[in-house]
Amino acid sequence: MMRKLIWSPLRRLQDFLNGSAAGGLVLMGASAIALVIANSPAQEGYFSLLHASFGGMSVLHWINDGLMSVFFLLVGLEIKRELLDGELKTNRLRVLPGLAALGGMVVPAAIYVLLNHGDPEALKGWAVPSATDIAFALGVAALLGSRVPPSLKAFLAALAIIDDLGAVIIIAIFYTSGIALAYLALAGGILVALAAMNRWGVRSLWPYLVFGALLWIAVLRSGVHATLAGVALAMFIPIKDATGRLPSNGDCTHSPLAALEHALHRVVPFSIVPLFGFANAGVSFGGMGWEEWIAGTTLGVAFGLAAGKVIGIFGFSALAIRGGIASMPSGATWRELLATSLLCGIGFTMSLFIGMLAFADRADLQNEVKLGILVGSLVAGVAGWLVFLGGKRKNDEDGAPSIAMVP
């Protein structure tokens, strides 16, 4: 009896950790704790810890440039897997999420630029509202359960992967400065070595990880943002096993990429990403006036996420579906597609990351970015949640699923 009492909570904890909502909820909790501490008597200790120097870099720098490289490694692994053996492996599958992601990046950026066109310094943050936080968005979708059709969850995941790829490209092109050519050449040489190992059929992960650590150091010194080393490394991790077969049914026994992705999924959502949220979400509201709340940076990010994302994603998706170049996700309705587009306005992790890069030397603008992200993501998440809850699924006479208002 005692063993059963102990085992039951453990089983529930295991089920929670295995669920797709767990990572988003842990991130949400860590960010909420950061906000509380940053507005409490402990705020001085919180900010002092983040700016304490260790090994030549601040603690915050180690988190954002060091640990987040592991997050970007996971992002790169997911992008590669989806492109080669997932929801994006054919052009037909890429059309709808690809166009939706394009709209979801272009329209928020345009709204931000429109609201900040007279401020050259603020314009550096144009890419902040262009990113979707897959952990938060999928977490909310998971909490909604059967109200979100499986096809829309797959659409959301594919869209977020393409969105992450777009964010990586933006960081590489627009947020890189002061290139050191010698270190950049060294990074190029390491990439050649990684490509050679992949070509020669090396299947052990350790050589890739060792060269990956060297790549991170070279990229950090080169002036290119160090986190991009994680994405670059992922591109050379073999996805096929020794016989040349792709992993099937989640089997990660013989595929180096699948094995590494599986291992990182146990670490990144529950340690690295929450730590990033804890370190970056803390903003002190003390002394803030209406100037910060209605600043162009704040409004640009907030409206970009809450309005720009849904306009871009739903609008581009509707044009693609109505134009006959893409199909509505199986079993989904227009209302559900609209609700999913709203959830994509949750732009927490990647938006924060780009904001820190855009305004690395402007703490005031960083705080405005954080305000905009918090407000915009909250509005988008609640709106998407309510649109989903505002209807229930039923079958029409022809058997096709539809949405009916809750009586």
Side-chain angles (χ1 to χ4, degrees):
M1 180 68 178
M2 181 62 68
R3 184 178 181 180
K4 184 176 181 181
L5 288 174
I6 296 174
W7 177 249
S8 181
L10 290 176
R11 174 59 63 86
R12 286 198 293 271
L13 176 61
Q14 184 180 18
D15 291 342
F16 168 76
L17 293 176
N18 289 333
S20 56
L25 292 176
V26 173
L27 173 59
M28 191 184 305
S31 303
I33 292 172
L35 280 172
V36 171
I37 294 177
N39 292 277
S40 74
Q43 64 173 267
E44 184 176 348
Y46 169 78
F47 290 112
S48 296
L49 175 63
L50 292 177
H51 292 96
S53 180
F54 175 75
M57 296 195 302
S58 68
V59 172
L60 183 62
H61 196 181
W62 275 111
I63 293 172
N64 290 353
D65 282 24
L67 291 180
M68 284 300 284
S69 295
V70 182
F71 166 78
F72 275 85
L73 171 59
L74 178 58
V75 168
L77 294 173
E78 291 176 337
I79 290 172
K80 181 173 180 178
R81 175 178 50 77
E82 293 294 341
L83 288 172
L84 296 180
D85 191 40
E87 296 295 331
L88 303 172
K89 64 182 178 181
T90 66
N91 289 332
R92 182 181 61 83
L93 292 172
R94 295 167 189 161
V95 171
L96 186 60
L99 290 175
L102 177 63
M105 288 186 281
V106 171
V107 177
I111 289 177
Y112 183 94
V113 170
L114 182 65
L115 293 174
N116 290 277
H117 65 90
D119 187 344
E121 185 67 18
L123 280 175
K124 294 178 181 178
W126 64 270
V128 173
S130 295
T132 293
D133 192 304
I134 186 171
F136 262 129
L138 286 176
V140 174
L143 291 174
L144 286 162
S146 60
R147 291 181 181 273
V148 185
S151 63
L152 276 183
K153 291 179 182 178
F155 166 76
L156 177 58
L159 185 154
I161 290 295
I162 298 174
D163 190 278
D164 283 344
L165 178 59
V168 168
I169 294 172
I170 287 172
I171 292 170
I173 296 176
F174 297 100
Y175 296 105
T176 293
S177 60
I179 298 297
L181 294 179
Y183 282 106
L184 192 62
L186 176 59
I190 295 172
L191 290 176
V192 171
L194 287 167
M197 287 194 299
N198 183 292
R199 181 72 175 176
W200 294 335
V202 176
R203 290 294 181 269
S204 174
L205 273 173
W206 287 111
Y208 291 98
L209 297 180
V210 170
F211 274 90
L214 296 175
L215 177 65
W216 178 82
I217 296 172
V219 173
L220 176 68
R221 299 288 187 180
S222 73
V224 177
H225 201 272
T227 52
L228 297 178
V231 180
L233 172 61
M235 296 301 105
F236 298 100
I237 303 292
I239 189 174
K240 296 180 179 180
D241 60 22
T243 65
R245 293 180 300 182
L246 293 169
S248 59
N249 300 321
D251 176 31
C252 61
T253 306
H254 304 293
S255 165
L257 184 145
L260 182 57
E261 184 181 0
H262 180 72
L264 291 180
H265 267 299
R266 294 175 176 270
V267 176
V268 172
F270 304 110
S271 58
I272 292 175
V273 172
L275 184 58
F276 171 82
F278 178 78
N280 290 276
V283 53
S284 176
F285 299 118
M288 279 194 179
W290 280 109
E291 294 82 3
E292 287 80 10
W293 288 93
I294 62 174
T297 308
T298 306
L299 296 178
V301 173
F303 279 104
L305 289 172
K309 278 289 186 180
V310 65
I311 294 172
I313 292 173
F314 186 77
F316 275 52
S317 297
L319 289 174
I321 294 170
R322 293 295 190 189
I325 60 175
S327 301
M328 176 74 78
S330 176
T333 67
W334 286 107
R335 184 190 186 112
E336 292 165 337
L337 183 60
L338 174 64
T340 303
S341 303
L342 283 165
L343 292 184
C344 290
I346 305 175
F348 200 80
T349 306
M350 197 68 82
S351 292
L352 272 177
F353 189 81
I354 294 176
M356 299 307 102
L357 293 179
F359 304 116
D361 300 321
R362 292 288 302 272
D364 56 332
L365 293 180
Q366 285 185 14
N367 284 335
E368 291 174 6
V369 163
K370 292 176 183 178
L371 281 178
I373 292 171
L374 291 172
V375 173
S377 296
L378 181 63
V379 171
V382 170
W385 178 279
L386 292 177
V387 172
F388 269 119
L389 291 184
K392 65 179 181 180
R393 300 190 64 79
K394 71 173 187 178
N395 288 333
D396 290 330
E397 293 181 359
D398 60 1
S402 66
I403 283 287
M405 293 304 297
V406 175

